[in-house]
């Protein structure tokens, strides 16, 4: 049933149609800022030493079909998820118990936890916390005669990206569907395309509104005399996805009139400081291009520091601590980042023992909690005599699973039949570093065509991943939620062989959806 | 007086300020589509074989000062200029008399004239004609104690470019002036920048509205059964300034819901045809990507065919004739293109003989005509015993002039003291191929800083050229004007040595203005 939707989609295109679509998409992306800085493998540093060129972001030529019920469910659950992760973040003891177990497994987690402990010892000066989240899902279709269900891949609590570009892809596909006006011929006629349009995508508005709400909630300057206030985007050196971030700062500047600055994580100590004389610990930013003007940072938006490689030396950890102890609202705090780690996702999904959902969301209708739980893919630790160990070692059940390292930013996953042999090649003491997760089975017949950033056009079988954005502002001291919103989404479409061979030979592209 | 305005402008910037401005401008241009396709000298075909990269259009970092009175005068005169060039175009005999003289001098003019004669013989089937014009000026400051006056450099009746990008440069500079909101520090403080803002720039709206007016005026399809209608942009192969054109088609599509297609001039015969059975001669366009759907072209917008090199063979002239004889409204017609040739500008400026302005604009207030005439730089032919010959051969008077070839798209100009010697090196029979024009003297102290498309940043003395856009739709048969508008402008800023060394070692950049 589901597969028949995908089997003749997207429509066949001849070479003239393909040429037209590719040229139109290439021009559209460049005209609308749906672009990235090119990789050095494509445009070398020698060709463009001053870094002025851009190229098309990877995008699909067609929107991808997605089950309407799954899309609606993902949207409906987002504010519940927001609340869940805020509640987890408020339960420092619960997080701590999990993290203490991981300290010898995961340097990164261990370092983050120490940042929190250090600031806790001094005392946090800011109790407000901002989350800009993206919950990623697949449509799960284990067999052709069951209705697709929604399964969560991961929940991102830091640097949730692509909100700035994904609404542009929605516009691109929507325009193509109606191009030219009145007599659409950009796409060949196809039942899925002739009347469907991608749903509204407010990712830029939603994420920017979240940041603006935090900025306002910060209140007046804590400096004397008062300083002008700003939001600070902390970014990675050599970031190629800069236009995704600039879409949010543009919205903050034009719609909310909030000053926004960008600062490399490596330059935090060069241009920000906390006056030791001020017990409120405001974070001051002194722009290198106008050093006589200082701004007080209301909100620190991290588009860095999410992966171990972002911390190249102890100085980077000190910089993270410096931000954490300041009065700026962090998006996210260290605790909130830890709440988004893989291990937390696995603990939440555990079917035995404490009902964590019910305790974190005590005032939420149990029927809603049951729906939330439905989005969890079964996942297990590999402790002695556990269900996980049993499933992983039996080749028949292993075939339906993926083995993931618990480490954040760690190595490759191990798939299916390879799992038992892989585990047996490791000493048993190492097994606790891994999580077993039941495979999500996306529609097998899904296909699309993608324009790559080097201009190549690839087509083939794909796996689609839907992300839904949410924002939440809460008071960490009282657990009180000040704002909780859902809005905007992201479709990412990957070449199918990425997940199976272990090597990413294919593509991952920005996409949009048409609902069925 | 005037020079003092320019002498300390733009403000000095230190390296941190420069780095900030350059990075901000680079990101802004890519985010907003203020881009061009890179030249092969910058990004080679080997690096980007599929042509997917773009780079920043050349832009200045600062807006340039421009005399307010001159700007207002240029705007005030635009609809008069529109009417003048429509009236000239309606006087086929007057144009013909001038063109007949040029036939042995200028192959290009001669070819265009023949296209007109051929269609005239068959009979024109479309009497409406659309002009999208740009009148280019400099502020003329012959001495420091005279007020600046407005002098016309040229009047463009075909492919008037940069309207799509110039309003973006105005937005860029305006945003920088107010960045960040409430506490602007992107530019150093400077009296000219602290309160001034660039005037509104509606170039995209104005030019698109002109095309939309023609589209509507075309009326219903002349085909049976009726076909959907469209506007056709005819463009050059390898056009790098494509985003300038796409800004207009986007406006036509989104605001007016008019189908717009782009077609290479070399492919006119592949995808357009005029059914021989239909005496109205509608121009039909069959998109290669949807060949079963034909559109009837209401308006042909030429962004090609303006320069001799656009006609590579007789087939290109046949294609131009094919368009000219069709029922589509041409922007512009061959006659209108001829009206914009250099020779016409010189004849209009002649101080002796017939008062052409008065006869073309008989119903216009003589005071207005006097103001129009004031914008003409004195220019002369070099006929025997003429004032032009006298001025050109005397080294003292030659020093104040430039010698320009009459040919369209012809070679280099000869400047100042080099003129007498140059003329004496030619047989006198050749002298009629040249026009002598008094030099316009722009503010000597003007300076700016420009970001080049290869990322280089250049600064130095510059010459600014202001273009003002206008559109006019008229009935060529009755001389009746249906629409006549002015709106939008372009500042182009060139490195000063371009005009003096004869070789363009410097840069020409898109700019905006602040009025003084």
């Amino acid at each position: 049933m589901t597969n028949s939707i995908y089997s003749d989609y997207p429509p066949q295109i001849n070479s003239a149609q393909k040429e037209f679509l590719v040229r139109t998409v290439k021009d559209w992306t460049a005209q609308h800022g749906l672009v990235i800085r090119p990789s050095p493998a494509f445009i070398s540093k020698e060709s463009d030493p001053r870094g002025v060129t851009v190229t098309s972001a990877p995008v699909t030529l067609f929107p991808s079909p997605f089950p309407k019920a799954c899309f609606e469910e993902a949207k409906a659950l987002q504010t519940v998820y927001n609340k869940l992760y805020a509640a987890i973040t408020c339960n420092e003891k619960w997080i701590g118990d999990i993290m203490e177990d991981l300290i010898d497994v995961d340097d990164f987690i261990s370092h983050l936890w120490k940042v929190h402990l250090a600031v806790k010892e001094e005392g946090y000066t800011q109790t407000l916390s901002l989350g800009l989240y993206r919950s990623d899902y697949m449509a799960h279709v284990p067999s052709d005669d069951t209705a697709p269900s929604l399964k969560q891949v991961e929940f991102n609590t830091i640097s949730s990206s692509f909100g700035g570009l994904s609404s542009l892809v929605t516009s691109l596909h929507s325009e193509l569907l109606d191009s030219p006006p009145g007599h659409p011929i950009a796409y060949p006629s196809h039942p899925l395309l002739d009347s469907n349009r991608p749903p509204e995508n407010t990712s830029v508005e939603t994420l920017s509104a979240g940041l603006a709400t935090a900025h306002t909630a910060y209140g007046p300057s804590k400096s004397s005399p008062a300083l002008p206030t700003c939001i600070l985007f902390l970014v990675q050196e050599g970031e190629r996805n800069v236009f995704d971030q600039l879409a949010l700062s543009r919205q903050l500047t034009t719609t909310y009139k909030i000053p926004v600055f960008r600062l490399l994580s490596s330059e935090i100590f060069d241009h920000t400081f906390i006056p030791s004389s001020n017990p409120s610990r405001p974070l001051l930013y002194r722009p290198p291009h106008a050093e006589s003007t200082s701004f007080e940072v209301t909100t620190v938006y991290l588009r860095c520091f999410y992966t171990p490689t972002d911390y190249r030396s102890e100085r980077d950890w000190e910089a993270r601590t410096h931000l954490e102890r300041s009065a700026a609202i962090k998006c996210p705090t260290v605790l909130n980042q830890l709440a988004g780690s893989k291990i937390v996702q696995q603990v939440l999904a555990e079917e035995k023992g404490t009902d964590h959902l019910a305790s974190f969301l005590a005032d939420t209708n149990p029927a809603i909690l049951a729906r939330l739980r439905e989005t969890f893919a079964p996942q297990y630790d590999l402790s002695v005599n556990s269900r996980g160990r049993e499933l992983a070692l039996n080749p028949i059940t292993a075939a339906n699973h993926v083995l993931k390292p618990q480490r954040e930013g760690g190595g490759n996953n191990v798939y299916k039949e390879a799992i038992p042999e892989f585990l047996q090649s490791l000493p048993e003491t190492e097994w606790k570093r891994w999580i077993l997760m039941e495979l999500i089975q996306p529609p097998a017949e899904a296909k699309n065509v993608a324009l790559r950033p080097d201009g190549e056009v690839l087509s083939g079988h794909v796996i689609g991943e839907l992300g839904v954005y949410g924002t939440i502002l809460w008071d960490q001291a009282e657990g009180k939620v000040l704002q909780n919103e859902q809005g905007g989404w992201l479709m990412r479409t990957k070449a199918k062989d990425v997940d199976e061979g272990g090597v990413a030979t294919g593509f991952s592209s920005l996409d949009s959806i048409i609902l069925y």
Side-chain angles (χ1 to χ4, degrees), chain A residues 322-464:
Chain A
H322 168 76
L323 301 177
E324 193 74 5
R325 65 184 288 274
S326 80
I329 299 173
K330 269 73 67 183
C331 177
T333 61
V334 165
L335 275 181
N336 195 209
Q337 178 175 359
L338 287 170
S341 59
K342 261 180 282 188
I343 179 81
V344 167
Q345 193 188 8
Q346 183 244 311
V347 171
L348 290 175
E350 273 171 10
E351 283 166 11
K352 285 189 280 189
T354 322
D355 183 341
H356 299 298
L357 286 194
S359 59
F360 282 123
L361 299 173
D363 58 354
T364 302
N365 184 329
I368 301 279
L369 294 187
R371 282 164 58 191
L372 204 74
R373 208 184 312 273
E374 266 301 298
T375 66
F376 296 164
Q379 35 200 305
Y380 314 89
D381 66 46
L382 299 180
S383 52
V384 184
N385 291 328
S386 69
R387 173 95 176 118
R389 190 175 283 212
E390 188 185 321
L391 292 167
L393 292 176
N394 180 340
I396 297 170
T397 50
N400 196 30
H401 289 83
V402 53
L403 193 67
K404 292 181 167 187
Q406 273 194 354
R407 285 180 68 99
E408 295 297 316
N412 286 332
N413 298 342
V414 180
Y415 287 89
K416 301 183 178 180
E417 290 80 358
I419 297 174
E421 195 178 346
F422 175 81
L423 281 176
Q424 272 142 10
S425 73
L426 295 180
E428 263 191 56
T429 50
E430 294 282 306
W431 291 12
K432 72 166 175 175
R433 296 169 193 263
W434 298 84
I435 293 168
L436 188 77
M437 189 171 165
E438 197 171 300
L439 279 173
I440 305 175
Q441 298 183 351
E445 287 301 314
K447 292 177 289 295
N448 211 324
V449 186
L451 171 68
R452 305 297 302 150
D454 65 359
E456 208 182 340
V457 180
L458 298 178
S459 50
H461 283 82
V462 294
I463 292 173

Side-chain angles (χ1 to χ4, degrees), chain A residues 43-267:
Chain A
I43 300 296
S44 67
K45 188 83 185 158
E46 291 73 49
S47 295
D48 179 14
R50 300 175 195 90
V52 66
T53 57
V54 294
T55 191
S56 183
V59 291
T60 60
L61 299 192
F62 296 90
S64 282
F66 197 83
K68 187 174 198 303
C70 293
F71 178 70
E72 295 301 340
E73 184 69 356
K75 288 205 300 177
L77 294 177
Q78 186 60 37
T79 54
V80 190
Y81 263 120
N82 292 346
K83 229 175 120 181
L84 172 63
Y85 278 86
I88 294 171
T89 307
C90 288
N91 195 333
E92 187 234 5
K93 186 181 169 319
W94 189 85
I95 295 181
D97 288 347
I98 294 178
M99 296 308 145
E100 296 293 351
D101 267 0
L102 272 185
I103 279 172
D104 61 328
V105 177
D106 194 326
D107 258 10
F108 179 57
I109 292 280
S110 160
H111 247 122
L112 283 172
W113 181 243
K114 281 185 208 150
V115 170
H116 160 66
L117 290 180
V119 178
K120 183 185 166 193
E121 193 178 335
E122 182 183 16
Y124 275 91
T125 181
Q126 177 59 265
T127 59
L128 296 180
S129 183
L130 176 68
L132 259 55
Y133 299 149
R134 197 187 69 223
S135 185
D136 290 337
Y137 304 94
M138 284 185 194
H140 179 54
V141 192
S143 78
D144 200 38
D145 47 9
T146 53
S149 61
L150 184 73
K151 292 294 173 192
Q152 189 177 55
V153 178
E154 63 178 352
F155 191 87
N156 302 283
T157 59
I158 182 166
S159 301
S160 308
S161 57
F162 293 121
L165 298 186
S166 69
S167 59
L168 284 171
V169 186
T170 309
S171 300
L172 164 65
H173 289 160
S174 301
E175 278 188 34
L176 283 171
L177 282 163
D178 287 314
S179 174
H183 304 276
I185 53 167
Y187 289 129
S189 179
H190 185 281
L192 274 176
L193 295 175
D194 291 349
S195 53
N196 285 358
R197 293 295 174 265
E200 186 188 30
N201 193 346
T202 61
S203 49
V204 171
E205 291 83 348
T206 301
L207 296 173
S208 309
L211 289 163
T213 302
H215 178 80
T216 305
Y218 180 88
S221 165
K222 304 175 197 300
S223 306
S224 167
L227 291 174
T229 55
C230 74
I231 294 177
L232 196 60
F233 281 34
L234 288 180
V235 300
Q236 294 174 323
E237 206 150 349
E239 173 67 77
R240 293 174 44 222
N241 191 28
V242 58
F243 301 98
D244 180 41
Q245 302 168 355
L246 290 174
L248 304 188
S249 44
R250 172 169 64 185
Q251 183 81 1
L252 287 167
T253 302
T254 55
T255 303
Y256 298 98
K257 309 291 176 203
I258 298 172
V260 176
F261 296 98
R262 293 171 63 79
L263 181 63
L264 292 179
S265 61
S266 57
E267 295 180 344

Side-chain angles (χ1 to χ4, degrees), chain A residues 235-312:
Chain A
V235 300
Q236 294 174 323
E237 206 150 349
E239 173 67 77
R240 293 174 44 222
N241 191 28
V242 58
F243 301 98
D244 180 41
Q245 302 168 355
L246 290 174
L248 304 188
S249 44
R250 172 169 64 185
Q251 183 81 1
L252 287 167
T253 302
T254 55
T255 303
Y256 298 98
K257 309 291 176 203
I258 298 172
V260 176
F261 296 98
R262 293 171 63 79
L263 181 63
L264 292 179
S265 61
S266 57
E267 295 180 344
I268 290 174
F269 282 124
D270 300 332
H271 305 299
T272 74
F273 62 106
I274 301 172
S276 56
S277 59
N278 189 332
S280 302
R281 289 184 239 148
L283 182 68
L284 307 192
Y285 172 65
R286 202 181 273 158
H289 60 284
E291 288 200 300
S292 59
T293 317
S294 285
F295 287 78
E296 184 169 328
V297 180
T298 64
T299 310
V300 164
Y301 177 46
L302 295 187
R303 293 295 292 257
C304 62
F305 284 163
Y306 55 86
T307 180
T309 53
D310 279 354
Y311 300 83
R312 285 169 303 186

